[in-house]
Amino acid sequence: VMSKRRGTMKAACAGMLAMVAGVACVLGMTPRLSSGVDLRDSNTATKNLNAEGAKVAEKGMDIVLLIDVTRSMEGVLEPLQRDSLWLFPAIRWTFPGARIGIVLYRDGVEAAEGFAGTDSKDLERVLRDARAEGGGDVTEGVHRAIEEALALGRFPWRPSAEKHIIVIGDAPPPYAELA
């Protein structure tokens, strides 16, 4: 029984490390494979992520997730909703001083929640209440979601913080908006 528990705990820790490394990679903060860091070596990866987290803690990090909630994103939205209970705290654990915001969109903005610091209950609620519905056309309102994230006063971006907008979607904006 003890070895099974240890194996389960080790697997859970490895999964958490992989998630944190994945988030860090999306944010451009994980050592690339060419650096010689083996992400399977949890000690090396953890030390590296802790060093990057300390750098971010000094100046802060503002992250806005733009999430397409059309029907085609159902397979992505459900795991994101399920994992949000530990995803947001894991980001803040890895990058102290990180603030996270969310914009949900289809053809237009469906919902938005401003930056959350240590308490992510509102973010979790907005994400949990989202339903993968609609869509069907080729283009989506990603351009409107970006405009919402950058709208003056919507998200109070800190001047000294690293700023990241992460788009989680599967369709481009209308062609006319690309010009």
Side-chain angles (χ1 to χ4, degrees), residues 119-159:
D119 183 10
S120 55
K121 287 184 182 13
D122 290 336
L123 295 175
E124 292 164 9
R125 179 190 44 76
V126 167
L127 194 53
R128 184 184 59 243
D129 292 347
R131 299 289 171 254
E133 301 172 335
D137 51 350
V138 176
T139 62
E140 299 301 344
V142 64
H143 61 297
R144 292 196 177 98
I146 293 170
E147 289 170 354
E148 179 77 8
L150 297 175
L152 187 61
R154 181 64 185 108
F155 291 94
W157 299 90
R158 295 174 288 183

Side-chain angles (χ1 to χ4, degrees), residues 23 27 56-57 59-65 87-102 113-120 123 149 153-166:
V23 168
L27 299 175
V56 169
K59 55 187 174 178
M61 178 185 290
D62 293 339
I63 305 165
V64 176
L65 303 174
L87 176 64
F88 299 133
I91 291 171
R92 284 192 299 276
W93 174 78
T94 307
F95 306 110
R99 298 186 312 168
I100 307 163
I102 291 181
E113 184 61 43
F115 287 125
T118 57
D119 183 10
S120 55
L123 295 175
R154 181 64 185 108
F155 291 94
W157 299 90
R158 295 174 288 183
S160 65
E162 288 189 19
K163 298 159 189 70
H164 300 276
I165 295 176
I166 300 171

Side-chain angles (χ1 to χ4, degrees), residues 45-119:
T46 300
K47 285 178 189 172
N48 243 330
L49 288 172
N50 286 341
E52 290 298 324
K55 289 177 191 174
V56 169
E58 291 177 24
K59 55 187 174 178
M61 178 185 290
D62 293 339
I63 305 165
V64 176
L65 303 174
L66 309 181
I67 304 171
D68 177 352
V69 291
T70 56
R71 169 93 42 220
S72 62
M73 292 294 291
E74 187 172 33
V76 174
L77 184 60
E78 288 175 0
L80 193 56
Q81 289 170 318
R82 180 184 62 242
D83 296 341
S84 68
L85 291 173
W86 58 266
L87 176 64
F88 299 133
I91 291 171
R92 284 192 299 276
W93 174 78
T94 307
F95 306 110
R99 298 186 312 168
I100 307 163
I102 291 181
V103 176
L104 305 178
Y105 69 92
R106 289 187 180 94
D107 285 335
V109 173
E110 298 293 318
E113 184 61 43
F115 287 125
T118 57
D119 183 10

Side-chain angles (χ1 to χ4, degrees), residues 32-54:
R32 305 298 182 260
L33 293 175
S34 61
S35 70
V37 173
D38 185 349
L39 291 179
R40 293 171 295 177
D41 176 359
S42 61
N43 290 331
T44 303
T46 300
K47 285 178 189 172
N48 243 330
L49 288 172
N50 286 341
E52 290 298 324

